[in-house]
Each structure stands twice: as C-alpha cells, then as structure tokens.
Amino acid sequence: MIVTQEAPPVRSPRGGRPRDPSRDGVIRAAILRLLAEVGYGALTMDAVAAEAGVGKATIYRRWRTKQDLVADTITELNATTVTPADTGSLQTDLREVLYSIVDVINGPMGAATRALLSTVTHHPALGEAFGDGPVGVWRRAFGQVFARAEARGELRPGLAGTVVAEALMAPLVQRWLMTGHLVTRDYADEVLGDVALPLLRANWGPSA
Amino acid sequence: MIVTQEAPPVRSPRGGRPRDPSRDGVIRAAILRLLAEVGYGALTMDAVAAEAGVGKATIYRRWRTKQDLVADTITELNATTVTPADTGSLQTDLREVLYSIVDVINGPMGAATRALLSTVTHHPALGEAFGDGPVGVWRRAFGQVFARAEARGELRPGLAGTVVAEALMAPLVQRWLMTGHLVTRDYADEVLGDVALPLLRANWGPSA
C-alpha cells in the first residue's frame, strides 16, 4: 500500500525564509491529535503550536484562523492518494484495501474524523473541506482495484460509483461510528467473505 | 410502523406532585433540538428548561447534571421498540424498515445523534448510554422482519446478528454520517434492490 500526498505549494508570503514542507507534516499530525483529544471547539492555535513544538508565529504566518488551519488540514488529507498493492487477484486486492481502512479507523485520522463529524454541520467552510471525508479516499482506492479486476476479466465494467461499490466498505464505517465495537481485521475478513464477495459475484461477475 | 417506548416509572422523589409523563416527551424533544443546534458542550440545563417551556426546578428535580439528563434521554431513545408493518413479503417489509431509517436520519433524532458522535468517546457515561445508538433499534426492527420471513420460508434461519444483517442498513448510515449527500427514499430503494436483496438471495434464500 503506497500512500502519497500532493506536495503543498511552498509559499513565502512575507518574503522570509521559504516554508519547510516537513514541518507541515508535524503540524498536521499535531492538529489530528488535538482534534481527537479536545475536539474542534476547544482547539486553539496556541495549543497546535505547543503540540507541534513550533513557534506561534510559524502557525499564524500560514493560517489566520483556527478554521483556516483545520479546513486546510482536512483538504490535504482528502487529497491523499492511496495506491493499493496489486496482488493480481480481486479478493486479495479488496482485502488489502479493507485492512488499510481498518488501520485508518483505528489511527489518529480515525479519531480526528470522529471529532469533526459533529462540527462540520455547523461550519460551512469545514463541511465543504470535509466533503465525503475519508470515504472519498477509500472510494478512489477501490476504483483502482475495480479497474484492475475489469482488465483481468474478473469484474464487469461500471462498478465504480454504484451503491454496490459503497456497500463494500459501509459495514466498517457503520461499526466504527455507530457502535461501541472495535473494528478489527477479523471483522474486515467477515465483511469481505460474507458481504463484499457475495455482492460482487451476484451481479458483477464476468458471467453475470 | 408502530413506535412504542417503555413507559418511564413515575417517581415523586420529594413527595411532591407526581411527575407528568407527557412533559417528559416535551423535555426530551427539547434536548434533541438543542443537541442538534448547539451540541453537547454548549447545552445547559437552563436552555433545556427554556426550550421545553418548563420551570428550571422541573428539570433539576429529575436530573442532577447535564450528563444525567442527556444519558437518560439516550437510554430512553434506545429503548424504543419499532414494530415494522407486516406486509406479508420480505421485500416490502425491508423497504418499510429502510424508509423508517431514512425518516429518523433526516429528523431531529438524526441531527442529535450526529451531535453526540464526537462527544460519546470523551464521556464514558454517555458512551455507555449510547451503546450501538439507533443501530440497535433498527437491528431489532430487522430482526422482526427476518423472523416473519423465516416463518414464511422466504429466508433461511440465522440471519439476525450476522454481518450480512448489518450490511443491509450500512450504506444508509455511511452516506448519512460520512458524506455530504442527502439520504433519500430513492437511495433506500437502490440499497434495497442493488445491495440488500442480492445479498439475501446469494446466501440466505430458502434454496441457498
């Protein structure tokens, strides 16, 4: 699984030192941790600076407000491109994507996403940046898996964008957000074997 | 669709007038509206009293703290019993349950649930009350539909509690919580026709 992010443009708006892109990653990680810990309402620019171990001026030079900073972080995350390992089989490719979703759900990004869910409806700028949230990233990863399987003749074309494509990951999302139960790789295996593969075989197999 | 709630015990802890159960419904509705509007963090006991149009003493007589009040409201909601209309067919019974989920998602309870999602992880008492959230109520409604279909011979027994049972509603939950798109009855029809029925036919039909 290869994860890449679009390189942010290096700006130096006040003619000072050029921005250090590696520092952006540190700041974004600090924002995710704070969102998970205290939520958007209690997050402050000063706390982000302290958590990231950078000067306040570094934060304020790039973002005028807390909303700018969080919206920018969400936008960067949603631009993530995940390239699922090409295992040569639909079943194992799907398993890899489902496992990577499990990892994201259980990591800092999962906790930060949950913290944002109650907030995005009240802040249009955040809602716009949030868009489909991590689901958009996962949808694109599935899209690559579908395209390979179509090329191998394992799937009929046209699956991407359908409700069936959405349904492949939906049980993970539901369990994560709505229930108190852990989302594990074992659960992902159940979703793969009992939901995803039967659904695809039913209507999306080459002979369907 | 018949919705019933367990009648709360009528207590009169200080020997005063017995509690008016109809007032409880008014207070709970006020709590849901406020959760949706301002979230848990900014909700106050005084605002609940004002929104419900009752005296503060009425609120404080029953609940000592905001956390008690919200946890109690969540517990009551989760005790709701939904009795889906018995249409005599699995397909139309399922449609009725999916439509009722759409209605809940788009109503005050949906907005309040979203507002709670970021909060329950930080307040163990709320998390415990939340449990599986509305998913628990919906799961029981599906359970009744499955039992009838099993009795008619439309389904093999044993579906309740499986990941397939969870998958029938999961696309609605995912679309509601993670994307900016509306959850409509048309979308529920797509979920029914393209996900739920194919999944059940694949492994849960009488001849499977």
Side-chain angles (χ1 to χ4, degrees), chain A residues 77-125:
Chain A
L77 286 170
N78 288 353
T80 304
T81 300
V82 173
T83 305
D86 186 351
T87 67
S89 119
L90 175 60
Q91 177 165 347
T92 46
D93 274 14
L94 287 175
R95 180 181 294 125
E96 288 302 308
V97 177
L98 292 173
Y99 281 0
S100 79
I101 293 175
V102 169
D103 293 344
V104 169
I105 284 173
N106 292 312
M109 193 170 147
T113 300
R114 174 183 271 276
L116 284 168
L117 282 179
S118 307
T119 305
V120 291
T121 50
H122 298 298
H123 298 81

mmCIF file of all heavy atoms in Angstrom, chain A residues 77-125:
data_model
loop_
_atom_site.group_PDB
_atom_site.id
_atom_site.type_symbol
_atom_site.label_atom_id
_atom_site.label_comp_id
_atom_site.label_asym_id
_atom_site.label_seq_id
_atom_site.Cartn_x
_atom_site.Cartn_y
_atom_site.Cartn_z
ATOM 1 N N LEU A 77 -5.672 16.059 3.698
ATOM 2 C CA LEU A 77 -5.930 14.631 3.938
ATOM 3 C C LEU A 77 -6.782 14.040 2.834
ATOM 4 O O LEU A 77 -6.553 12.908 2.394
ATOM 5 C CB LEU A 77 -6.632 14.440 5.289
ATOM 6 C CG LEU A 77 -5.750 14.630 6.516
ATOM 7 C CD1 LEU A 77 -6.595 14.650 7.777
ATOM 8 C CD2 LEU A 77 -4.701 13.518 6.601
ATOM 9 N N ASN A 78 -7.780 14.809 2.376
ATOM 10 C CA ASN A 78 -8.671 14.287 1.341
ATOM 11 C C ASN A 78 -7.994 14.194 -0.014
ATOM 12 O O ASN A 78 -8.511 13.540 -0.919
ATOM 13 C CB ASN A 78 -9.935 15.140 1.243
ATOM 14 C CG ASN A 78 -10.847 14.937 2.436
ATOM 15 O OD1 ASN A 78 -10.594 14.061 3.257
ATOM 16 N ND2 ASN A 78 -11.893 15.738 2.535
ATOM 17 N N ALA A 79 -6.841 14.884 -0.151
ATOM 18 C CA ALA A 79 -6.100 14.795 -1.409
ATOM 19 C C ALA A 79 -5.148 13.603 -1.405
ATOM 20 O O ALA A 79 -4.442 13.367 -2.376
ATOM 21 C CB ALA A 79 -5.327 16.092 -1.646
ATOM 22 N N THR A 80 -5.131 12.856 -0.310
ATOM 23 C CA THR A 80 -4.267 11.683 -0.223
ATOM 24 C C THR A 80 -4.613 10.693 -1.330
ATOM 25 O O THR A 80 -5.780 10.458 -1.621
ATOM 26 C CB THR A 80 -4.478 10.970 1.133
ATOM 27 O OG1 THR A 80 -4.250 11.912 2.177
ATOM 28 C CG2 THR A 80 -3.531 9.793 1.285
ATOM 29 N N THR A 81 -3.597 10.138 -1.940
ATOM 30 C CA THR A 81 -3.802 9.090 -2.931
ATOM 31 C C THR A 81 -3.267 7.791 -2.362
ATOM 32 O O THR A 81 -2.100 7.712 -1.987
ATOM 33 C CB THR A 81 -3.067 9.420 -4.244
ATOM 34 O OG1 THR A 81 -3.591 10.644 -4.735
ATOM 35 C CG2 THR A 81 -3.289 8.324 -5.263
ATOM 36 N N VAL A 82 -4.139 6.813 -2.257
ATOM 37 C CA VAL A 82 -3.723 5.506 -1.772
ATOM 38 C C VAL A 82 -3.633 4.578 -2.978
ATOM 39 O O VAL A 82 -4.572 4.466 -3.753
ATOM 40 C CB VAL A 82 -4.752 4.959 -0.759
ATOM 41 C CG1 VAL A 82 -4.408 3.533 -0.376
ATOM 42 C CG2 VAL A 82 -4.802 5.842 0.468
ATOM 43 N N THR A 83 -2.489 3.964 -3.150
ATOM 44 C CA THR A 83 -2.303 3.029 -4.264
ATOM 45 C C THR A 83 -2.262 1.618 -3.696
ATOM 46 O O THR A 83 -1.254 1.205 -3.128
ATOM 47 C CB THR A 83 -0.999 3.333 -5.026
ATOM 48 O OG1 THR A 83 -1.024 4.700 -5.431
ATOM 49 C CG2 THR A 83 -0.876 2.439 -6.250
ATOM 50 N N PRO A 84 -3.385 0.875 -3.798
ATOM 51 C CA PRO A 84 -3.418 -0.447 -3.179
ATOM 52 C C PRO A 84 -2.449 -1.390 -3.881
ATOM 53 O O PRO A 84 -2.265 -1.308 -5.095
ATOM 54 C CB PRO A 84 -4.866 -0.909 -3.398
ATOM 55 C CG PRO A 84 -5.612 0.259 -3.933
ATOM 56 C CD PRO A 84 -4.623 1.190 -4.533
ATOM 57 N N ALA A 85 -1.842 -2.257 -3.094
ATOM 58 C CA ALA A 85 -0.933 -3.258 -3.649
ATOM 59 C C ALA A 85 -1.655 -4.040 -4.742
ATOM 60 O O ALA A 85 -2.828 -4.374 -4.613
ATOM 61 C CB ALA A 85 -0.493 -4.205 -2.539
ATOM 62 N N ASP A 86 -0.951 -4.318 -5.848
ATOM 63 C CA ASP A 86 -1.527 -5.079 -6.958
ATOM 64 C C ASP A 86 -1.157 -6.538 -6.769
ATOM 65 O O ASP A 86 -0.061 -6.968 -7.118
ATOM 66 C CB ASP A 86 -0.991 -4.538 -8.283
ATOM 67 C CG ASP A 86 -1.677 -5.193 -9.475
ATOM 68 O OD1 ASP A 86 -2.432 -6.174 -9.280
ATOM 69 O OD2 ASP A 86 -1.453 -4.717 -10.598
ATOM 70 N N THR A 87 -2.067 -7.311 -6.182
ATOM 71 C CA THR A 87 -1.757 -8.705 -5.855
ATOM 72 C C THR A 87 -2.135 -9.653 -6.988
ATOM 73 O O THR A 87 -1.894 -10.855 -6.899
ATOM 74 C CB THR A 87 -2.532 -9.149 -4.592
ATOM 75 O OG1 THR A 87 -3.940 -9.166 -4.903
ATOM 76 C CG2 THR A 87 -2.279 -8.206 -3.435
ATOM 77 N N GLY A 88 -2.791 -9.124 -8.008
ATOM 78 C CA GLY A 88 -3.170 -9.988 -9.130
ATOM 79 C C GLY A 88 -4.506 -10.682 -8.951
ATOM 80 O O GLY A 88 -4.939 -11.412 -9.845
ATOM 81 N N SER A 89 -5.165 -10.462 -7.798
ATOM 82 C CA SER A 89 -6.483 -11.083 -7.605
ATOM 83 C C SER A 89 -7.420 -10.099 -6.936
ATOM 84 O O SER A 89 -7.024 -9.339 -6.037
ATOM 85 C CB SER A 89 -6.343 -12.368 -6.770
ATOM 86 O OG SER A 89 -7.071 -12.289 -5.564
ATOM 87 N N LEU A 90 -8.664 -10.096 -7.367
ATOM 88 C CA LEU A 90 -9.660 -9.177 -6.812
ATOM 89 C C LEU A 90 -9.807 -9.391 -5.313
ATOM 90 O O LEU A 90 -9.819 -8.439 -4.530
ATOM 91 C CB LEU A 90 -11.011 -9.406 -7.512
ATOM 92 C CG LEU A 90 -12.192 -8.608 -6.985
ATOM 93 C CD1 LEU A 90 -11.945 -7.107 -7.103
ATOM 94 C CD2 LEU A 90 -13.484 -8.982 -7.722
ATOM 95 N N GLN A 91 -9.882 -10.659 -4.906
ATOM 96 C CA GLN A 91 -10.125 -10.951 -3.495
ATOM 97 C C GLN A 91 -9.015 -10.401 -2.597
ATOM 98 O O GLN A 91 -9.290 -9.758 -1.583
ATOM 99 C CB GLN A 91 -10.254 -12.465 -3.316
ATOM 100 C CG GLN A 91 -10.426 -12.877 -1.871
ATOM 101 C CD GLN A 91 -10.915 -14.308 -1.727
ATOM 102 O OE1 GLN A 91 -11.356 -14.927 -2.700
ATOM 103 N NE2 GLN A 91 -10.843 -14.845 -0.520
ATOM 104 N N THR A 92 -7.772 -10.622 -2.968
ATOM 105 C CA THR A 92 -6.689 -10.157 -2.093
ATOM 106 C C THR A 92 -6.487 -8.639 -2.211
ATOM 107 O O THR A 92 -6.133 -7.981 -1.229
ATOM 108 C CB THR A 92 -5.384 -10.931 -2.355
ATOM 109 O OG1 THR A 92 -5.158 -11.019 -3.754
ATOM 110 C CG2 THR A 92 -5.477 -12.339 -1.790
ATOM 111 N N ASP A 93 -6.745 -8.088 -3.399
ATOM 112 C CA ASP A 93 -6.690 -6.625 -3.517
ATOM 113 C C ASP A 93 -7.744 -5.977 -2.610
ATOM 114 O O ASP A 93 -7.461 -4.998 -1.914
ATOM 115 C CB ASP A 93 -6.967 -6.187 -4.961
ATOM 116 C CG ASP A 93 -5.716 -6.175 -5.841
ATOM 117 O OD1 ASP A 93 -4.689 -6.746 -5.420
ATOM 118 O OD2 ASP A 93 -5.783 -5.596 -6.947
ATOM 119 N N LEU A 94 -8.956 -6.517 -2.631
ATOM 120 C CA LEU A 94 -10.021 -5.971 -1.778
ATOM 121 C C LEU A 94 -9.645 -6.087 -0.303
ATOM 122 O O LEU A 94 -9.869 -5.178 0.486
ATOM 123 C CB LEU A 94 -11.348 -6.710 -2.019
ATOM 124 C CG LEU A 94 -12.083 -6.425 -3.324
ATOM 125 C CD1 LEU A 94 -13.303 -7.342 -3.441
ATOM 126 C CD2 LEU A 94 -12.519 -4.968 -3.407
ATOM 127 N N ARG A 95 -9.062 -7.241 0.058
ATOM 128 C CA ARG A 95 -8.673 -7.427 1.454
ATOM 129 C C ARG A 95 -7.677 -6.352 1.886
ATOM 130 O O ARG A 95 -7.791 -5.790 2.980
ATOM 131 C CB ARG A 95 -8.086 -8.821 1.663
ATOM 132 C CG ARG A 95 -7.653 -9.055 3.113
ATOM 133 C CD ARG A 95 -7.037 -10.429 3.330
ATOM 134 N NE ARG A 95 -8.004 -11.481 3.135
ATOM 135 C CZ ARG A 95 -7.869 -12.512 2.294
ATOM 136 N NH1 ARG A 95 -6.764 -12.625 1.578
ATOM 137 N NH2 ARG A 95 -8.805 -13.412 2.185
ATOM 138 N N GLU A 96 -6.714 -6.052 0.999
ATOM 139 C CA GLU A 96 -5.715 -5.038 1.340
ATOM 140 C C GLU A 96 -6.371 -3.677 1.583
ATOM 141 O O GLU A 96 -5.995 -2.960 2.515
ATOM 142 C CB GLU A 96 -4.674 -4.921 0.224
ATOM 143 C CG GLU A 96 -3.731 -6.102 0.136
ATOM 144 C CD GLU A 96 -2.980 -6.322 1.447
ATOM 145 O OE1 GLU A 96 -2.387 -5.358 1.955
ATOM 146 O OE2 GLU A 96 -3.008 -7.455 1.974
ATOM 147 N N VAL A 97 -7.335 -3.312 0.744
ATOM 148 C CA VAL A 97 -7.988 -2.010 0.927
ATOM 149 C C VAL A 97 -8.795 -2.012 2.226
ATOM 150 O O VAL A 97 -8.740 -1.060 3.011
ATOM 151 C CB VAL A 97 -8.888 -1.653 -0.280
ATOM 152 C CG1 VAL A 97 -9.597 -0.328 -0.018
ATOM 153 C CG2 VAL A 97 -8.070 -1.548 -1.551
ATOM 154 N N LEU A 98 -9.519 -3.094 2.488
ATOM 155 C CA LEU A 98 -10.305 -3.152 3.731
ATOM 156 C C LEU A 98 -9.387 -3.089 4.955
ATOM 157 O O LEU A 98 -9.693 -2.396 5.932
ATOM 158 C CB LEU A 98 -11.171 -4.420 3.764
ATOM 159 C CG LEU A 98 -12.319 -4.455 2.730
ATOM 160 C CD1 LEU A 98 -13.000 -5.826 2.724
ATOM 161 C CD2 LEU A 98 -13.357 -3.360 2.997
ATOM 162 N N TYR A 99 -8.264 -3.766 4.899
ATOM 163 C CA TYR A 99 -7.307 -3.697 6.021
ATOM 164 C C TYR A 99 -6.780 -2.267 6.203
ATOM 165 O O TYR A 99 -6.599 -1.808 7.329
ATOM 166 C CB TYR A 99 -6.126 -4.645 5.778
ATOM 167 C CG TYR A 99 -6.394 -6.106 6.072
ATOM 168 C CD1 TYR A 99 -7.626 -6.564 6.530
ATOM 169 C CD2 TYR A 99 -5.389 -7.058 5.889
ATOM 170 C CE1 TYR A 99 -7.858 -7.904 6.786
ATOM 171 C CE2 TYR A 99 -5.603 -8.414 6.151
ATOM 172 C CZ TYR A 99 -6.843 -8.823 6.601
ATOM 173 O OH TYR A 99 -7.065 -10.156 6.854
ATOM 174 N N SER A 100 -6.520 -1.594 5.113
ATOM 175 C CA SER A 100 -5.982 -0.234 5.262
ATOM 176 C C SER A 100 -7.055 0.692 5.832
ATOM 177 O O SER A 100 -6.749 1.620 6.585
ATOM 178 C CB SER A 100 -5.424 0.288 3.941
ATOM 179 O OG SER A 100 -6.457 0.727 3.094
ATOM 180 N N ILE A 101 -8.327 0.430 5.509
ATOM 181 C CA ILE A 101 -9.410 1.214 6.120
ATOM 182 C C ILE A 101 -9.447 0.945 7.632
ATOM 183 O O ILE A 101 -9.586 1.874 8.436
ATOM 184 C CB ILE A 101 -10.768 0.871 5.466
ATOM 185 C CG1 ILE A 101 -10.781 1.343 4.005
ATOM 186 C CG2 ILE A 101 -11.925 1.494 6.240
ATOM 187 C CD1 ILE A 101 -12.028 0.946 3.219
ATOM 188 N N VAL A 102 -9.290 -0.310 8.025
ATOM 189 C CA VAL A 102 -9.254 -0.653 9.455
ATOM 190 C C VAL A 102 -8.126 0.120 10.143
ATOM 191 O O VAL A 102 -8.316 0.692 11.236
ATOM 192 C CB VAL A 102 -9.060 -2.176 9.650
ATOM 193 C CG1 VAL A 102 -8.755 -2.502 11.109
ATOM 194 C CG2 VAL A 102 -10.296 -2.938 9.181
ATOM 195 N N ASP A 103 -6.964 0.182 9.496
ATOM 196 C CA ASP A 103 -5.830 0.887 10.110
ATOM 197 C C ASP A 103 -6.119 2.378 10.274
ATOM 198 O O ASP A 103 -5.786 2.970 11.305
ATOM 199 C CB ASP A 103 -4.560 0.676 9.268
ATOM 200 C CG ASP A 103 -4.099 -0.776 9.285
ATOM 201 O OD1 ASP A 103 -4.562 -1.544 10.158
ATOM 202 O OD2 ASP A 103 -3.273 -1.159 8.433
ATOM 203 N N VAL A 104 -6.726 2.977 9.260
ATOM 204 C CA VAL A 104 -7.035 4.414 9.344
ATOM 205 C C VAL A 104 -8.058 4.660 10.454
ATOM 206 O O VAL A 104 -7.914 5.564 11.270
ATOM 207 C CB VAL A 104 -7.562 4.948 7.994
ATOM 208 C CG1 VAL A 104 -8.122 6.357 8.152
ATOM 209 C CG2 VAL A 104 -6.444 4.941 6.956
ATOM 210 N N ILE A 105 -9.099 3.833 10.499
ATOM 211 C CA ILE A 105 -10.148 3.984 11.520
ATOM 212 C C ILE A 105 -9.546 3.950 12.924
ATOM 213 O O ILE A 105 -9.927 4.727 13.798
ATOM 214 C CB ILE A 105 -11.199 2.861 11.351
ATOM 215 C CG1 ILE A 105 -12.099 3.158 10.152
ATOM 216 C CG2 ILE A 105 -12.023 2.678 12.631
ATOM 217 C CD1 ILE A 105 -13.068 2.033 9.803
ATOM 218 N N ASN A 106 -8.584 3.057 13.136
ATOM 219 C CA ASN A 106 -8.011 2.882 14.470
ATOM 220 C C ASN A 106 -6.842 3.818 14.756
ATOM 221 O O ASN A 106 -6.273 3.777 15.845
ATOM 222 C CB ASN A 106 -7.574 1.428 14.653
ATOM 223 C CG ASN A 106 -8.767 0.485 14.696
ATOM 224 O OD1 ASN A 106 -9.729 0.720 15.407
ATOM 225 N ND2 ASN A 106 -8.721 -0.575 13.900
ATOM 226 N N GLY A 107 -6.484 4.642 13.785
ATOM 227 C CA GLY A 107 -5.352 5.542 13.969
ATOM 228 C C GLY A 107 -5.797 6.965 14.274
ATOM 229 O O GLY A 107 -6.987 7.225 14.488
ATOM 230 N N PRO A 108 -4.839 7.892 14.316
ATOM 231 C CA PRO A 108 -5.157 9.283 14.668
ATOM 232 C C PRO A 108 -6.150 9.931 13.713
ATOM 233 O O PRO A 108 -6.961 10.759 14.128
ATOM 234 C CB PRO A 108 -3.795 9.991 14.615
ATOM 235 C CG PRO A 108 -2.828 9.026 14.014
ATOM 236 C CD PRO A 108 -3.406 7.663 14.096
ATOM 237 N N MET A 109 -6.103 9.538 12.441
ATOM 238 C CA MET A 109 -7.030 10.146 11.497
ATOM 239 C C MET A 109 -8.465 9.713 11.776
ATOM 240 O O MET A 109 -9.394 10.496 11.623
ATOM 241 C CB MET A 109 -6.650 9.763 10.075
ATOM 242 C CG MET A 109 -7.367 10.611 9.054
ATOM 243 S SD MET A 109 -6.669 10.326 7.426
ATOM 244 C CE MET A 109 -8.156 10.529 6.437
ATOM 245 N N GLY A 110 -8.638 8.464 12.218
ATOM 246 C CA GLY A 110 -9.979 7.996 12.560
ATOM 247 C C GLY A 110 -10.548 8.774 13.729
ATOM 248 O O GLY A 110 -11.701 9.217 13.708
ATOM 249 N N ALA A 111 -9.726 8.967 14.756
ATOM 250 C CA ALA A 111 -10.190 9.699 15.939
ATOM 251 C C ALA A 111 -10.486 11.155 15.593
ATOM 252 O O ALA A 111 -11.470 11.736 16.072
ATOM 253 C CB ALA A 111 -9.136 9.603 17.046
ATOM 254 N N ALA A 112 -9.650 11.760 14.744
ATOM 255 C CA ALA A 112 -9.875 13.159 14.367
ATOM 256 C C ALA A 112 -11.143 13.281 13.518
ATOM 257 O O ALA A 112 -11.918 14.233 13.663
ATOM 258 C CB ALA A 112 -8.670 13.699 13.615
ATOM 259 N N THR A 113 -11.360 12.319 12.635
ATOM 260 C CA THR A 113 -12.557 12.350 11.786
ATOM 261 C C THR A 113 -13.811 12.292 12.631
ATOM 262 O O THR A 113 -14.773 13.037 12.432
ATOM 263 C CB THR A 113 -12.530 11.171 10.800
ATOM 264 O OG1 THR A 113 -11.376 11.284 9.986
ATOM 265 C CG2 THR A 113 -13.768 11.160 9.919
ATOM 266 N N ARG A 114 -13.818 11.402 13.615
ATOM 267 C CA ARG A 114 -14.973 11.300 14.504
ATOM 268 C C ARG A 114 -15.205 12.627 15.227
ATOM 269 O O ARG A 114 -16.345 13.072 15.378
ATOM 270 C CB ARG A 114 -14.737 10.181 15.521
ATOM 271 C CG ARG A 114 -15.787 10.076 16.580
ATOM 272 C CD ARG A 114 -15.459 8.997 17.580
ATOM 273 N NE ARG A 114 -15.983 7.712 17.187
ATOM 274 C CZ ARG A 114 -17.239 7.304 17.424
ATOM 275 N NH1 ARG A 114 -18.086 8.095 18.032
ATOM 276 N NH2 ARG A 114 -17.633 6.120 17.046
ATOM 277 N N ALA A 115 -14.116 13.269 15.648
ATOM 278 C CA ALA A 115 -14.241 14.546 16.354
ATOM 279 C C ALA A 115 -14.838 15.630 15.449
ATOM 280 O O ALA A 115 -15.501 16.546 15.925
ATOM 281 C CB ALA A 115 -12.886 14.995 16.876
ATOM 282 N N LEU A 116 -14.586 15.502 14.158
ATOM 283 C CA LEU A 116 -15.072 16.524 13.232
ATOM 284 C C LEU A 116 -16.531 16.334 12.838
ATOM 285 O O LEU A 116 -17.195 17.279 12.412
ATOM 286 C CB LEU A 116 -14.219 16.522 11.959
ATOM 287 C CG LEU A 116 -12.848 17.176 12.090
ATOM 288 C CD1 LEU A 116 -11.995 16.856 10.877
ATOM 289 C CD2 LEU A 116 -13.006 18.695 12.243
ATOM 290 N N LEU A 117 -17.051 15.119 12.970
ATOM 291 C CA LEU A 117 -18.380 14.808 12.424
ATOM 292 C C LEU A 117 -19.471 15.696 12.990
ATOM 293 O O LEU A 117 -20.404 16.071 12.286
ATOM 294 C CB LEU A 117 -18.734 13.344 12.693
ATOM 295 C CG LEU A 117 -18.067 12.335 11.777
ATOM 296 C CD1 LEU A 117 -18.485 10.940 12.173
ATOM 297 C CD2 LEU A 117 -18.418 12.611 10.327
ATOM 298 N N SER A 118 -19.360 16.017 14.280
ATOM 299 C CA SER A 118 -20.400 16.838 14.896
ATOM 300 C C SER A 118 -20.197 18.307 14.548
ATOM 301 O O SER A 118 -21.100 19.113 14.743
ATOM 302 C CB SER A 118 -20.375 16.666 16.414
ATOM 303 O OG SER A 118 -20.437 15.309 16.751
ATOM 304 N N THR A 119 -19.007 18.653 14.069
ATOM 305 C CA THR A 119 -18.654 20.054 13.851
ATOM 306 C C THR A 119 -18.954 20.518 12.437
ATOM 307 O O THR A 119 -19.359 21.667 12.232
ATOM 308 C CB THR A 119 -17.146 20.238 14.129
ATOM 309 O OG1 THR A 119 -16.872 19.758 15.450
ATOM 310 C CG2 THR A 119 -16.739 21.680 14.023
ATOM 311 N N VAL A 120 -18.762 19.619 11.470
ATOM 312 C CA VAL A 120 -18.829 20.067 10.076
ATOM 313 C C VAL A 120 -20.202 20.625 9.703
ATOM 314 O O VAL A 120 -20.300 21.494 8.832
ATOM 315 C CB VAL A 120 -18.414 18.952 9.089
ATOM 316 C CG1 VAL A 120 -16.926 18.658 9.218
ATOM 317 C CG2 VAL A 120 -19.236 17.690 9.291
ATOM 318 N N THR A 121 -21.269 20.148 10.379
ATOM 319 C CA THR A 121 -22.598 20.658 10.011
ATOM 320 C C THR A 121 -22.787 22.111 10.434
ATOM 321 O O THR A 121 -23.643 22.802 9.903
ATOM 322 C CB THR A 121 -23.721 19.814 10.655
ATOM 323 O OG1 THR A 121 -23.442 19.672 12.046
ATOM 324 C CG2 THR A 121 -23.796 18.435 10.028
ATOM 325 N N HIS A 122 -21.999 22.558 11.429
ATOM 326 C CA HIS A 122 -22.182 23.925 11.930
ATOM 327 C C HIS A 122 -21.216 24.935 11.299
ATOM 328 O O HIS A 122 -21.341 26.131 11.543
ATOM 329 C CB HIS A 122 -22.007 23.948 13.454
ATOM 330 C CG HIS A 122 -23.017 23.122 14.172
ATOM 331 N ND1 HIS A 122 -24.361 23.386 14.113
ATOM 332 C CD2 HIS A 122 -22.902 22.017 14.947
ATOM 333 C CE1 HIS A 122 -25.026 22.490 14.826
ATOM 334 N NE2 HIS A 122 -24.165 21.644 15.334
ATOM 335 N N HIS A 123 -20.234 24.450 10.552
ATOM 336 C CA HIS A 123 -19.244 25.343 9.949
ATOM 337 C C HIS A 123 -19.164 25.035 8.457
ATOM 338 O O HIS A 123 -18.451 24.109 8.060
ATOM 339 C CB HIS A 123 -17.867 25.155 10.590
ATOM 340 C CG HIS A 123 -17.840 25.485 12.057
ATOM 341 N ND1 HIS A 123 -18.265 24.613 13.025
ATOM 342 C CD2 HIS A 123 -17.446 26.606 12.702
ATOM 343 C CE1 HIS A 123 -18.128 25.185 14.213
ATOM 344 N NE2 HIS A 123 -17.638 26.394 14.046
ATOM 345 N N PRO A 124 -19.862 25.817 7.630
ATOM 346 C CA PRO A 124 -19.905 25.512 6.202
ATOM 347 C C PRO A 124 -18.515 25.344 5.571
ATOM 348 O O PRO A 124 -18.325 24.455 4.736
ATOM 349 C CB PRO A 124 -20.637 26.715 5.608
ATOM 350 C CG PRO A 124 -21.499 27.221 6.731
ATOM 351 C CD PRO A 124 -20.723 26.946 7.990
ATOM 352 N N ALA A 125 -17.529 26.150 6.009
ATOM 353 C CA ALA A 125 -16.194 26.044 5.400
ATOM 354 C C ALA A 125 -15.571 24.689 5.729
ATOM 355 O O ALA A 125 -14.899 24.078 4.890
ATOM 356 C CB ALA A 125 -15.292 27.176 5.894
#
